[in-house]
Amino acid sequence: MSLPEQLQQQEGDQTLTPLPEYRSILVAADASDHSNQGVKMAALLGQTWQSKITGAHVYAAKLHDVRFRQMEGGLPEQYKEETELERQRDIHDELITKGLSVITDSYLDGAEATCTDAGLEYIRRSLEGKNYREMVRETNCGKYDLLVMGSLGLGAVEGSRIGTVCERVVRRTDIDTLIIKEAKRDLTEGPIVVAVDGSSRGYAGLLSAFAIHKAQGTPVHVISAYDPYYHYVAFNRIAEVLSEEAGKVFRFKEQEELHESIIDEGLAKIYDGHLHVARSIAADYSVEITTELLDGKAHDAIEKYVLKHNASLLVIGKLGIHADDELDIGGNAENLLRNVPCGILISQSHFTPQIDIVAEATTTWTHQAEERMKKIPSFAQGMAKMAILRYAQERGHTVITEGIVREATDALCPVKPGAMSAEGTGSKQSAAVVDHTQPYDPDWSDEAEQLLATIRDQSMRNNLRRRAEKKARQEKSNTVECNHLQAFMSVPKQAVSEAEKTLDTTNAIPPSYQWSEEALAKLERVPEGGIRDMARAAAESIAAESAIRNIDGEFFGSILDTFKSGSEQVSETLEWSDSARQGIAKAPAMVRGMLIREIETFARDRGVSQVDESTVAEVKQRWGDSGTFHQGTADPRAYSPIEHSDAITDSSPDLIWNSEALARLNQVPEGFMRESCRRRIESFAQQQGLERIDLALVKQQLQSAYDVMESVVKNGKGKCPLGHGS
């Protein structure tokens, strides 16, 4: 039985649908890192169901033949004689045919070895022709339940997010498709995030996630996202261009009030209903899930959730609840395919939950009820119908009357659909029920205005202004604050690490920073690559800690001085060979001390008393594999025994610094860093009700400040200082 058949629920059937089993898996193989990880994940899933794995590679011998003939005009004269030209053609044809065949076999050999080690049956498929076309033809031939392929192939360059072959294939496949986007991370590291929107493909994806959970124990999060902000933006833009006469014809004010009410109240309840159904399905299969209702542009809200929870796999239907017959892929699925950093399983199977089947099969509608449904805006009719069916079923109704429609819609939103009746009495009725008739012109805080000004694109700035105002309005705030705007600003394209979670930064959207020309000039002088990324991230993290938006030359210079002064104080404590020293000789002085300490810590952990070339190479390899520079708990930046005779100034008169505390503070590089640390220490002392500042307190607060800088490097915001793994 094929997977779609497994998931097809028959009307009135009360038995529990079996969870999907991917028993025949097709994997695209080209020996790229993403492809190799795809083979590994196909084997891992295959072991659950003892699946048959088919490895496929497409080569284009005919394409090379055409290209050779096109280039014949540029051959040297001695090759243009007819007999010689024919001989060259034969040689080229033989080399290409045999060469590409050998290469294809080599790609498939690697996949076979992985599957054999997993104890799975393996089949080879060498395909000739246009890459995406042949892969689609093979995928849709009816033999397979799942296609696995890497998002990027051997042609990937820096900045690539998804390859053209992958994107073309995904658009055309008829079966579930798993795209590998992290070449070094298993899908089972979790959690699995499933996005549902009430569509049968979304619910089928939920069952797929349950199947993986049952096999691997990976936690499952289920989310549903709706956008209550779009119509606020749209209606405000319409108001700017619509004439007074056109507004009367369009009945603009009534339309705006109705949409506002339906979206604010109705959509939230409908999408929360999808989560209710998901919880019901999870209970049927004895699976514990975490659910959350998200607001915002759907794909953007989902992407932010994936990043926040460091998901290893996102599951989403290829087409959503609003899809029409001509679509090949839904807008949310398309955007998430490109943008999420984790693997993505795109569901093409169908599953209709029992609660919806029963509601649809056992319920009829009166003519009056059907007529009343037509008064609901067309964009919401499909969702409203399902919500009303569920409402009726929960209350034991088998016939939906006009009264039930009215009850259900009143429960979903405060505005009655009758408010838009042909008689035109709706404006009075809706005005009596809803406060959306009241004008809303909120103030903006200075901080929010400054944050908005960092968005360079004017059209995007105008759009986000309206969205932020809508969010403030939902929270009944008369002032737009930074948090209202930050909800719609972009987040880094990287997973949030566990260490960053301990710093309580997961819920905050990183603000934008203004770098002065002097600061940027200093940044440009930092070696390009991991070191520069680390320095920039450190500056912005410390700026966030200090509530600073503008990074000037003095501020950034003090941070560089901190790196440099700490690094310079580190000396070798183990014996180093000349070749080992040569291995880090190209590292900038500002981080060389950190490298020495890290490598020696690694050596001690392994009981090695001498650092040689192999030790350095092994540490470099670890950095390269992880893509991050791991530091020990003792960060050389925390050691800055540089004596300064000048004492601090502008200290709080209510606090007394003892000589040891003052001496330790004066070891911090002079300027902004020292002043910032002083303010931090005194603020903490005042919060604790202290009158004296001693050495222990200073050390504690300085270490806390240094930990912020350390986390920048340690948790993946800065990469290997030697450029490995980047």
Side-chain angles (χ1 to χ4, degrees):
M1 181 184 292
S2 69
L3 186 60
E5 290 172 338
Q6 292 178 44
L7 296 180
Q8 185 61 50
Q9 184 79 17
Q10 299 298 320
E11 237 180 53
D13 184 7
Q14 298 296 318
T15 60
L16 198 61
T17 300
L19 290 176
E21 298 180 353
Y22 295 119
R23 291 190 172 274
S24 181
I25 301 175
L26 175 65
V27 58
D30 68 356
S32 66
D33 290 341
H34 289 80
S35 170
N36 291 341
Q37 182 69 1
V39 173
K40 179 182 174 184
M41 291 300 97
L44 179 66
L45 295 175
Q47 286 178 311
T48 302
W49 305 290
Q50 285 303 298
S51 309
K52 177 172 60 179
I53 308 293
T54 300
H57 179 75
V58 184
Y59 64 96
K62 292 180 181 178
L63 173 64
H64 285 82
D65 181 63
V66 171
R67 287 289 182 265
F68 181 79
R69 294 178 187 277
Q70 290 174 342
M71 293 186 295
E72 285 178 350
L75 290 173
E77 288 299 323
Q78 63 266 33
Y79 294 108
K80 290 185 178 180
E81 194 273 327
E82 189 168 329
T83 304
E84 180 61 24
L85 186 58
E86 289 295 336
R87 190 175 76 87
Q88 292 299 325
R89 287 174 178 172
D90 292 339
I91 293 172
H92 178 267
D93 290 346
E94 184 177 3
L95 287 174
I96 289 299
T97 302
K98 288 184 177 180
L100 292 179
S101 178
V102 169
I103 292 171
T104 298
D105 287 342
S106 298
Y107 292 161
L108 299 180
D109 287 345
E112 182 174 16
T114 300
C115 294
T116 300
D117 290 343
L120 299 174
E121 179 184 355
Y122 178 77
I123 298 174
R124 310 162 69 94
R125 291 287 290 155
S126 298
L127 308 172
E128 199 284 325
K130 186 67 175 175
N131 43 28
Y132 82 88
R133 187 183 299 117
E134 296 306 316
M135 187 58 68
V136 169
R137 184 177 289 123
E138 183 68 19
T139 301
N140 294 340
C141 70
K143 299 178 182 178
Y144 309 108
D145 301 321
L146 176 70
L147 168 66
V148 181
M149 68 185 306
S151 60
L152 297 171
L154 297 174
V157 297
E158 186 177 6
S160 297
R161 291 187 293 181
I162 185 168
T164 54
V165 175
C166 176
E167 188 166 13
R168 289 171 179 174
V169 170
V170 168
R171 286 182 174 279
R172 294 165 172 82
T173 53
D174 296 333
I175 65 174
D176 288 8
T177 303
L178 173 60
I179 302 301
I180 303 299
K181 302 196 75 177
E182 294 181 285
K184 298 292 184 181
R185 189 181 185 207
D186 288 356
L187 299 173
T188 55
E189 291 184 18
I192 300 172
V193 173
V194 186
V196 296
D197 66 347
S199 67
S200 59
R201 288 182 176 87
Y203 287 130
L206 182 64
L207 293 195
S208 297
F210 288 172
I212 297 173
H213 164 80
K214 293 279 190 180
Q216 305 296 331
T218 313
V220 177
H221 293 202
V222 184
I223 57 177
S224 192
Y226 74 106
D227 188 357
Y229 307 103
Y230 168 75
H231 286 87
Y232 182 82
V233 176
F235 274 101
N236 275 278
R237 180 53 60 92
I238 293 171
E240 295 172 3
V241 299
L242 208 61
S243 67
E244 182 177 354
E245 185 62 31
K248 292 178 181 178
V249 174
F250 181 63
R251 298 168 68 188
F252 175 81
K253 198 63 183 176
E254 297 171 40
Q255 291 275 4
E256 181 183 23
E257 293 167 17
L258 181 62
H259 280 71
E260 282 283 297
S261 299
I262 287 178
I263 292 168
D264 281 354
E265 303 291 337
L267 282 185
K269 293 182 180 179
I270 289 172
Y271 278 82
D272 192 50
H274 302 328
L275 295 178
H276 172 77
V277 173
R279 287 190 290 270
S280 174
I281 299 172
D284 289 341
Y285 290 94
S286 301
V287 176
E288 291 187 7
I289 62 173
T290 300
T291 62
E292 187 168 337
L293 179 65
L294 309 176
D295 66 348
K297 190 73 173 176
H299 68 82
D300 184 60
I302 293 169
E303 182 184 351
K304 287 175 179 175
Y305 187 93
V306 165
L307 290 168
K308 175 181 176 181
H309 293 275
N310 198 16
S312 59
L313 178 64
L314 171 66
V315 184
I316 189 170
K318 187 176 182 181
L319 293 169
I321 191 71
H322 300 299
D324 60 56
D325 294 337
E326 297 182 12
L327 275 179
D328 54 2
I329 187 171
N332 289 315
E334 183 174 16
N335 277 286
L336 290 166
L337 173 64
R338 292 173 180 164
N339 295 336
V340 293
C342 66
I344 180 167
L345 175 59
I346 300 177
S347 173
Q348 271 282 70
S349 305
H350 296 270
F351 173 71
T352 304
Q354 188 69 30
I355 185 174
D356 289 343
I357 293 175
V358 173
E360 186 75 44
T362 62
T363 307
T364 58
W365 295 67
T366 66
H367 174 72
Q368 290 85 350
E370 291 176 341
E371 287 299 312
R372 191 173 187 86
M373 285 295 295
K374 294 178 182 178
K375 297 174 183 177
I376 295 176
S378 58
F379 76 93
Q381 282 185 7
M383 293 180 293
K385 181 181 179 182
M386 186 54 64
I388 293 168
L389 281 169
R390 291 174 185 165
Y391 178 91
Q393 186 194 21
E394 289 170 359
R395 288 155 180 78
H397 297 293
T398 57
V399 177
I400 296 179
T401 63
E402 182 180 12
I404 293 174
V405 174
R406 183 170 56 250
E407 291 174 15
T409 51
D410 284 350
L412 288 172
C413 57
V415 173
K416 297 179 176 63
M420 291 301 295
S421 62
E423 287 77 8
T425 60
S427 60
K428 293 181 181 179
Q429 189 175 9
S430 60
V433 179
V434 198
D435 63 359
H436 292 102
T437 58
Q438 301 301 318
Y440 182 68
D441 186 19
D443 295 326
W444 279 67
S445 69
D446 292 341
E447 293 80 4
E449 285 282 13
Q450 291 171 10
L451 183 58
L452 183 67
T454 64
I455 302 170
R456 296 181 179 179
D457 185 276
Q458 183 176 355
S459 62
M460 181 61 66
R461 190 163 59 245
N462 292 338
N463 185 302
L464 295 192
R465 174 181 286 276
R466 294 300 185 187
R467 285 180 173 262
E469 289 177 352
K470 172 70 172 181
K471 191 165 188 67
R473 184 178 189 179
Q474 285 182 318
E475 297 178 5
K476 299 181 179 179
S477 172
N478 292 323
T479 303
V480 179
E481 303 289 354
C482 283
N483 62 296
H484 297 132
L485 179 59
Q486 287 172 337
F488 307 103
M489 298 183 72
S490 61
V491 296
K493 304 298 182 183
Q494 59 196 36
V496 181
S497 69
E498 289 299 321
E500 288 173 312
K501 292 178 185 178
T502 65
L503 295 174
D504 195 28
T505 59
T506 55
N507 293 322
I509 306 301
S512 300
Y513 299 93
Q514 293 290 333
W515 285 68
S516 70
E517 292 185 4
E518 181 185 1
L520 286 174
K522 289 185 177 182
L523 181 65
E524 289 297 316
R525 291 197 289 271
V526 176
E528 187 176 4
I531 295 294
R532 186 180 297 174
D533 293 341
M534 180 181 67
R536 183 179 194 118
E540 294 185 348
S541 290
I542 296 168
E545 280 281 298
S546 306
I548 291 173
R549 297 271 188 235
N550 298 314
I551 298 176
D552 58 23
E554 179 187 1
F555 173 82
F556 185 55
S558 66
I559 292 173
L560 295 181
D561 289 342
T562 302
F563 274 98
K564 184 177 179 181
S565 62
S567 188
E568 287 176 347
Q569 305 311 309
V570 177
S571 59
E572 297 173 2
T573 60
L574 296 177
E575 184 180 348
W576 283 62
S577 68
D578 291 340
S579 59
R581 292 192 184 94
Q582 188 63 31
I584 64 170
K586 293 183 180 180
M590 64 181 287
V591 295
R592 196 173 299 141
M594 286 188 273
L595 304 187
I596 292 172
R597 187 177 294 276
E598 177 71 14
I599 293 169
E600 289 190 347
T601 299
F602 177 85
R604 287 193 182 92
D605 287 345
R606 280 152 182 75
V608 177
S609 60
Q610 181 184 31
V611 177
D612 57 18
E613 185 178 5
S614 63
T615 307
V616 175
E618 189 172 354
V619 177
K620 286 183 181 180
Q621 184 61 48
R622 285 165 58 87
W623 291 336
D625 290 342
S626 66
T628 60
F629 173 51
H630 300 282
Q631 294 188 98
T633 55
D635 185 343
R637 289 169 294 183
Y639 296 88
S640 303
I642 302 175
E643 296 295 337
H644 296 283
S645 59
D646 52 315
I648 59 173
T649 59
D650 195 29
S651 180
S652 172
D654 298 327
L655 295 170
I656 300 173
W657 289 67
N658 69 24
S659 58
E660 291 179 329
L662 188 59
R664 181 62 187 93
L665 180 65
N666 283 336
Q667 293 174 13
V668 177
E670 184 180 2
F672 177 86
M673 287 299 292
R674 186 185 301 174
E675 183 63 17
S676 178
C677 289
R678 179 190 64 78
R679 289 198 302 267
R680 181 191 186 101
I681 294 167
E682 292 188 344
S683 174
F684 179 82
Q686 289 170 338
Q687 290 173 6
Q688 300 299 313
L690 302 177
E691 295 180 355
R692 302 182 66 87
I693 296 176
D694 58 17
L695 179 60
L697 177 62
V698 173
K699 284 184 175 180
Q700 177 195 41
Q701 290 301 301
L702 289 181
Q703 186 59 52
S704 176
Y706 287 125
D707 285 345
V708 175
M709 298 175 67
E710 181 178 4
S711 69
V712 172
V713 184
K714 186 175 182 179
N715 298 320
K717 291 181 181 176
K719 297 185 178 179
C720 168
L722 298 180
H724 298 280
S726 56

